[in-house]
């Protein structure tokens, strides 16, 4: 959730141009008033950079200095572009184009292709993986799923750095890039991939930029046309510009310098895609007369979070580190960051889930909490732990809100109800806008209580619930608003991709968390080999990992937790060390250059129970994790490390002896039990735990409690029922009517 949506959803449009400047701090105001010539805004995390540039554009438009149709604001993600459009609309600056580089280039390519080349633009391939797989097969090279993904990414890197297949091996050597395969093989696959595209007359996303650059370079009349259209440019996240994107920007500009860029070299975390901070760092060299404004007032995070972030960067090295910004918190004091050490990864996930649950119980909304990890494969154990703790969650990177089928369907029925007005019987008895929306969406699956369990049904309900909450906020901000007004608002939001918030703890990689913020952030898996990642070998690669951790830390507004596990699996050798980046920053450690450090000390939370040690102010106590031995497959005896396999107590590919009838009886019992306690089904037991029970068929409490996902608490609450069902006995459960037998 961004600061804009966190404060107010429906701010009043400023009445005058001068009113646009109200509420800006001196540096943000300086940005807004710098409407001529090159401008470089160096903006630290949480300093209101989006606020500054959107108010700059809005002030220029509202004062008549800028014509909205001549302004092009570009950024890197659809979400960020949608936020820019949403903010500009709220400021009364309609008509300004805010797009990603690819979206802006694609529009130009589609418009000018018939004139520049003739015929229709080749079809755009949205996913190139299949073509890369075919190219590898033609070359006689077998790629597994991970190798295929890495090879695809490598081709993308080559294209955005404007490297042709024949030059790829030399480019890898020159950049000291760690290629996923032999560069000669990758060059061959890359060349064959390009050949397949030509054979089928298709293009990929990188081609969109390359072809647009080619047309603007070769056709001066078309370049002049574009430059007459767009005369004022704003580039957000400028530290992430690739050489190809910079080339396109140069062609858009021509010999003009009416350009405003905003970025932070300390947040450069996408070099693997070709991004480089050099364009930002060299901006004043290329534009000696540029206006430079630094934003260092951090409005997002407490002084404790900011202090840790500043301390992390104070140990950084390299050119980007020399240009780091020292943040100054504007929020005052809060709880100290929590550093927690766990015995193993499952214990870390369980401990994190407990802390999350306690924060929610203390009043922090689930949608204001995030669990952030280095790689996506870490998510499974946290999904399971949160489900076991009865905490709703959502994975970052899912389908865009307004593209979801249920949201499109909801828009259709809301639009129909708005047209029918008082003639729609659904609206009988609805005395305000939220009541009307609830009545209409009830036909599409919305209800006052969420459905049990997770999955597609729960996701659908969450989407509809987000629309209901939006209607409630809209009515509060605009009393007397009609259903037609809300439909118009939804249409504008859909066009801007300005989505409402879906509740649930966010699970996300550190990379995908860029640009977001939460009241509480849990940074997990903070061990050497994961942070920095094992394949970060060079000083430059290690420093980028440090910047990635900096991005993660600065996502937290108030509560910040960093944790690590000493072993991967229960009973494993405790050979891991906490990340070197925390040396000298976490209690009891000392800074020892770039490596080493003490293994912990005073102030490190060992996951001990309340009373075992003094808790720091603002932190939540932790229960003592269970001490467990290695979990072994009960079929083949192999030690299990995968969270899902540990739940089943067997390898996924080992034969299953599950009693299907027992599993179905357990599922039926769980559904009624969940309804009885008004909780999702996974709060009783997850599907994997039920499968494990149906395979083991425990006959005693001691046999049941050792099944992963049960534990003492659930044994006490549900054990008698489960053991009775496993024994083939009927179980009576109160269903709220006449009871139910299984």
């Amino acid at each position: 959730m961004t600061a804009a949506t966190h404060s107010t959803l429906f701010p009043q449009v400023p009445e005058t141009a001068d009113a646009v400047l109200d509420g800006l701090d001196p540096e943000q105001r300086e940005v807004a008033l710098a409407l001529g010539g090159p401008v470089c805004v160096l903006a630290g995390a949480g300093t209101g950079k989006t606020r500054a540039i959107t108010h700059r554009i809005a002030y220029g438009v509202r004062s008549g200095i800028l014509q909205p149709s001549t302004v092009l604001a570009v950024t890197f993600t659809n979400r960020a572009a949608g936020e820019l459009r949403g903010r500009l609309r709220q400021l009364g600056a309609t008509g300004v184009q805010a797009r990603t580089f690819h979206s802006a280039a694609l529009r130009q390519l589609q418009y000018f292709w018939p004139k520049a080349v003739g015929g229709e633009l080749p079809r755009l391939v949205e996913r190139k993986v299949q073509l890369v797989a075919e190219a590898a097969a033609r070359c006689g090279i077998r790629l597994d799923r991970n190798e295929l993904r890495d090879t695809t990414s490598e081709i993308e890197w080559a294209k955005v750095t404007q490297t042709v297949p024949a030059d790829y091996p030399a480019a890898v050597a020159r950049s000291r890039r760690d290629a996923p395969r032999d560069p000669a093989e990758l060059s061959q696959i890359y060349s064959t991939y390009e050949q397949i595209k030509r054979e089928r007359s298709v293009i990929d996303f990188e081609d969109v930029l390359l072809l647009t650059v080619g047309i603007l370079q070769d056709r001066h009349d078309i370049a002049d046309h574009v430059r007459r259209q767009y005369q004022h440019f704003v580039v957000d996240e400028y530290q992430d510009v690739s050489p190809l994107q910079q080339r396109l920007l140069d062609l858009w500009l021509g010999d003009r310098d009416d350009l405003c860029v905003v970025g932070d070299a300390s947040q450069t975390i996408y070099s693997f895609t070709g991004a480089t901070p050099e364009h930002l760092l060299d901006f004043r060299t290329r534009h000696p007369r540029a206006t430079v404004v630094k934003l260092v007032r951090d409005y997002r995070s407490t002084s404790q979070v900011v202090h840790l972030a500043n301390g992390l960067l104070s140990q950084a090295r390299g050119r980007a580190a020399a240009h780091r910004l020292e943040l100054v918190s504007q929020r005052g004091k809060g709880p100290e960051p929590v550093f927690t050490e766990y015995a193993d990864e499952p214990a870390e996930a369980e401990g994190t889930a407990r802390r999350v649950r306690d924060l929610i119980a203390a009043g922090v909304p689930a949608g204001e909490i995030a669990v952030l990890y280095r790689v996506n494969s870490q998510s499974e154990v946290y999904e399971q732990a949160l489900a076991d703790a009865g905490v709703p969650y959502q994975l970052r990177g899912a389908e865009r809100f307004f593209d979801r089928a249920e949201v499109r369907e909801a828009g259709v029925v809301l639009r129909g109800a708005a047209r029918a007005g008082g003639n729609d019987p659904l609206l009988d008895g609805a005395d305000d806008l939220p009541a009307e929306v609830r009545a209409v969406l009830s036909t599409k699956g919305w209800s006052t209580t969420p459905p049990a369990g997770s999955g597609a049904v729960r996701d659908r309900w969450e989407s509809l619930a987000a629309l209901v909450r939006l209607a409630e906020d809209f009515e509060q901000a605009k009393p007397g608003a009609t259903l037609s007004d809300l439909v118009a608002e939804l249409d504008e939001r859909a066009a801007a991709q300005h989505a409402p918030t879906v509740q649930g703890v966010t699970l996300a990689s550190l990379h995908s968390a860029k640009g977001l913020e939460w009241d509480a952030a849990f940074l997990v898996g903070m061990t050497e080999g994961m942070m920095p990642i094992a394949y970060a070998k060079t000083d430059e690669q290690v420093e980028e990992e440090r910047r990635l951790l900096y991005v993660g830390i600065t996502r937290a507004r108030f509560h910040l937790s960093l944790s690590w596990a000493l072993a991967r699996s229960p009973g494993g050798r405790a050979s891991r060390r906490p990340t070197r980046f925390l040396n000298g920053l976490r209690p009891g450690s000392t800074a020892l250059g770039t490596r080493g450090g003490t293994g912990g000390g005073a102030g490190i939370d060992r996951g001990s129970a309340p009373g075992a040690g003094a808790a720091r102010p603002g932190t939540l106590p932790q229960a003592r994790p269970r001490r467990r031995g290695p979990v072994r497959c009960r079929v083949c005896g192999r030690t299990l490390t995968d969270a899902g396999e540990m739940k089943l107590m067997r390898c996924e590919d080992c034969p299953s002896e599950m009693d299907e009838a027992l599993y179905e009886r357990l599922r039926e019992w769980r559904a009624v039990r969940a309804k009885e306690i008004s909780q999702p089904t996974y709060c009783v037991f997850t599907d994997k735990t039920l499968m494990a029970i149906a395979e083991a068929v425990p006959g005693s409490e001691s046999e049941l409690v050792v099944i992963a996902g049960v534990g003492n608490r659930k044994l006490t609450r549900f054990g008698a029922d489960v053991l009775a069902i496993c024994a083939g006995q009927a179980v009576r459960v109160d269903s709220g009517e006449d009871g139910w037998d299984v």
Side-chain angles (χ1 to χ4, degrees):
M1 182 181 286
T2 65
T5 56
H6 182 65
S7 56
T8 175
L9 285 168
F10 300 100
Q12 296 297 316
V13 175
E15 294 183 359
T16 65
D18 288 340
V20 171
L21 304 176
D22 292 345
L24 299 181
D25 68 29
E27 293 78 24
Q28 292 171 343
R29 189 182 181 92
E30 184 179 355
V31 173
L33 293 173
L35 292 172
V39 178
C40 180
V41 182
L42 302 175
T47 58
K49 67 176 181 63
T50 305
R51 178 180 175 84
I53 60 174
T54 52
H55 280 69
R56 178 181 185 270
I57 295 171
Y59 178 72
V61 169
R62 297 288 298 276
S63 63
I65 298 173
L66 302 177
Q67 295 300 312
S69 61
T70 67
V71 179
L72 178 59
V74 288
T75 187
F76 290 84
T77 66
N78 288 315
R79 184 202 58 79
E83 183 179 354
L84 285 175
R85 290 191 292 269
R87 298 249 199 131
L88 290 169
R89 180 169 62 89
Q90 292 168 352
L91 293 170
T94 58
V96 174
Q97 292 292 314
R99 297 183 172 276
T100 64
F101 271 98
H102 282 88
S103 173
L106 182 58
R107 287 192 78 201
Q108 294 176 19
L109 196 60
Q110 290 170 331
Y111 183 82
F112 291 113
W113 185 268
K115 179 178 180 180
V117 181
E120 292 187 359
L121 181 69
R123 180 174 61 87
L124 180 63
V125 176
E126 295 191 3
R127 295 185 72 253
K128 59 174 68 70
V129 172
Q130 292 180 334
L131 292 184
V132 174
E134 184 176 340
R138 284 195 189 183
C139 297
I141 300 171
R142 184 180 180 85
L143 301 177
D144 63 27
R145 185 172 61 181
N146 291 330
E147 290 173 324
L148 182 58
R149 180 196 61 208
D150 292 342
T151 299
T152 302
S153 297
E154 202 67 9
I155 290 174
E156 291 170 352
W157 173 83
K159 298 185 75 166
V160 301
T161 56
Q162 302 176 82
T163 302
V164 298
D167 295 340
Y168 171 78
V172 169
R174 190 167 52 249
S175 65
R176 301 175 66 186
R177 186 174 178 84
D178 189 13
R181 291 184 69 89
D182 177 75
E185 285 186 347
L186 288 171
S187 174
Q188 185 182 6
I189 295 172
Y190 178 15
S191 178
T192 306
Y193 166 76
E194 293 296 318
Q195 179 183 340
I196 292 173
K197 286 198 293 124
R198 288 191 296 271
E199 291 172 359
R200 299 181 183 173
S201 296
V202 296
I203 60 175
D204 59 28
F205 276 104
E206 289 70 42
D207 291 330
V208 170
L209 300 183
L210 286 164
L211 291 170
T212 305
V213 164
I215 288 175
L216 294 178
Q217 284 180 162
D218 296 341
R219 292 291 299 267
H220 298 295
D221 56 329
I222 293 176
D224 289 341
H225 186 138
V226 172
R227 291 165 191 162
R228 285 194 301 271
Q229 173 66 52
Y230 296 116
Q231 300 171 16
H232 186 89
F233 295 86
V234 177
V235 184
D236 191 17
E237 303 287 6
Y238 192 56
Q239 77 278 352
D240 291 332
V241 165
S242 70
L244 180 56
Q245 289 163 334
Q246 181 62 47
R247 181 60 186 143
L248 178 59
L249 180 61
D250 290 339
L251 288 165
W252 282 341
L253 278 166
D255 58 2
R256 301 164 300 172
D257 60 5
D258 203 348
L259 170 67
C260 173
V261 301
V262 57
D264 178 10
S266 295
Q267 296 187 68
T268 305
I269 59 173
Y270 294 110
S271 68
F272 61 91
T273 68
T276 170
E278 298 304 314
H279 304 298
L280 175 66
L281 298 176
D282 291 339
F283 191 84
R284 282 169 288 185
T285 301
R286 289 183 286 113
H287 303 279
R289 299 174 61 182
T291 299
V292 179
V293 183
K294 294 183 179 181
L295 303 182
V296 297
R297 301 175 197 250
D298 188 310
Y299 296 95
R300 175 186 300 158
S301 305
T302 63
S303 57
Q304 282 81 0
V305 174
V306 167
H307 178 72
L308 181 61
N310 284 337
L312 179 69
L313 286 189
S314 70
Q315 301 177 4
R317 298 182 300 177
R319 191 180 180 203
H323 293 79
R324 71 183 182 90
L325 299 168
E326 187 85 13
L327 299 178
V328 181
S329 175
Q330 306 297 299
R331 291 200 61 174
K333 293 185 176 180
E336 292 290 338
V338 177
F339 300 86
T340 311
E341 185 174 278
Y342 292 93
D344 51 67
E345 287 184 4
E348 183 180 11
E350 291 171 8
T352 300
R354 286 195 300 270
R355 283 186 178 271
V356 168
R357 187 181 59 201
D358 290 344
L359 277 179
I360 294 173
V364 180
E368 286 295 346
I369 302 174
V371 177
L372 307 178
Y373 34 77
R374 177 60 180 85
V375 295
N376 286 319
S377 60
Q378 293 172 273
S379 74
E380 182 181 2
V381 67
Y382 290 93
E383 293 177 55
Q384 190 68 59
L386 290 171
D388 287 344
V391 175
Y393 65 86
Q394 56 178 328
L395 284 170
R396 176 78 184 149
E399 186 179 22
R400 291 193 297 179
F401 183 82
F402 287 105
D403 290 342
R404 299 175 188 175
E406 64 270 20
V407 175
R408 294 198 303 269
E409 292 171 10
V412 171
V413 295
L414 287 171
R415 189 171 290 105
R419 285 197 299 267
N423 297 322
D424 192 331
L426 273 176
L427 305 182
D428 291 346
D431 53 5
D432 60 14
L433 176 61
E436 291 178 339
V437 172
R438 287 191 289 266
V440 173
L441 295 187
S442 65
T443 66
K444 290 298 177 181
W446 180 85
S447 60
T448 54
T449 57
S454 57
V457 173
R458 180 61 182 248
D459 290 344
R460 180 183 179 89
W461 183 90
E462 291 285 3
S463 296
L464 299 178
L467 292 174
V468 171
R469 288 192 298 270
L470 185 70
E472 293 167 349
D473 292 328
F474 189 67
E475 202 275 338
Q476 185 176 2
K478 301 180 184 297
T482 66
L483 197 54
S484 295
D485 295 331
L486 178 64
V487 168
E489 172 69 21
L490 289 175
D491 287 342
E492 292 187 12
R493 281 174 168 262
Q497 285 298 330
H498 185 195
T501 302
V502 177
Q503 287 301 311
V505 173
T506 298
L507 292 174
S509 70
L510 288 166
H511 280 99
S512 65
K514 177 75 170 65
L516 303 174
E517 58 188 77
W518 295 271
D519 283 348
F522 290 80
L523 276 60
V524 298
M526 294 290 106
T527 61
E528 285 288 311
M530 192 59 74
M531 177 56 66
I533 199 75
Y535 52 74
K537 303 295 186 182
T538 67
D539 289 344
E540 185 176 336
Q541 291 168 339
V542 170
E543 286 306 314
E544 180 155 339
E545 293 287 298
R546 187 194 306 274
R547 295 194 295 268
L548 184 58
L549 178 56
Y550 172 78
V551 166
I553 289 172
T554 55
R555 298 311 95 191
R557 298 192 190 101
F558 196 72
H559 299 280
L560 175 64
S561 174
L562 299 98
S563 62
W564 57 91
L566 298 179
R568 179 179 180 184
S569 56
R573 190 163 63 93
S575 59
R576 292 179 171 179
R577 293 180 299 142
T579 172
R580 72 189 76 169
F581 296 144
L582 297 180
N583 289 341
L585 300 176
R586 58 183 173 85
S589 67
T590 56
L592 298 175
T594 61
R595 302 190 68 85
T598 68
I604 298 293
D605 191 330
R606 306 290 179 180
S608 56
R616 296 186 302 283
T619 67
L620 293 167
Q622 290 221 113
R624 183 183 299 276
R626 300 193 303 273
R627 292 294 178 183
R628 296 163 293 186
V631 178
R632 300 187 183 279
C633 174
R634 53 189 168 77
V635 179
C636 70
R638 183 177 68 85
T639 298
L640 303 177
T641 57
D642 177 79
E645 292 182 341
M646 289 166 67
K647 283 283 183 185
L648 293 174
M649 299 176 68
R650 65 170 173 82
C651 305
E652 286 279 5
D653 53 0
C654 278
S656 169
E657 300 174 354
M658 186 177 71
D659 185 331
E660 296 284 353
L662 173 59
Y663 177 65
E664 288 305 318
R665 289 199 302 274
L666 288 168
R667 281 174 56 88
E668 292 172 4
W669 163 83
R670 180 184 65 173
V672 179
R673 200 75 168 90
K675 184 177 181 181
E676 176 190 342
I677 62 176
S678 300
Q679 292 287 336
T681 54
Y682 60 70
C683 293
V684 181
F685 289 116
T686 64
D687 287 344
K688 283 284 177 68
T689 299
L690 289 188
M691 290 175 65
I693 293 171
E695 290 184 352
V697 194
S700 65
E701 290 189 350
S702 60
E703 293 176 356
L704 176 59
V705 74
V706 297
I707 295 176
V710 179
N712 288 320
R713 182 174 64 86
K714 292 190 177 182
L715 178 68
T716 301
R717 194 172 190 186
F718 307 121
D721 282 0
V722 171
L723 290 173
I725 294 170
C726 289
Q729 301 170 6
V731 175
R732 187 79 168 172
V733 182
D734 182 8
S735 66
E737 297 173 357
D738 299 325
W740 178 84
D741 290 313
V742 60

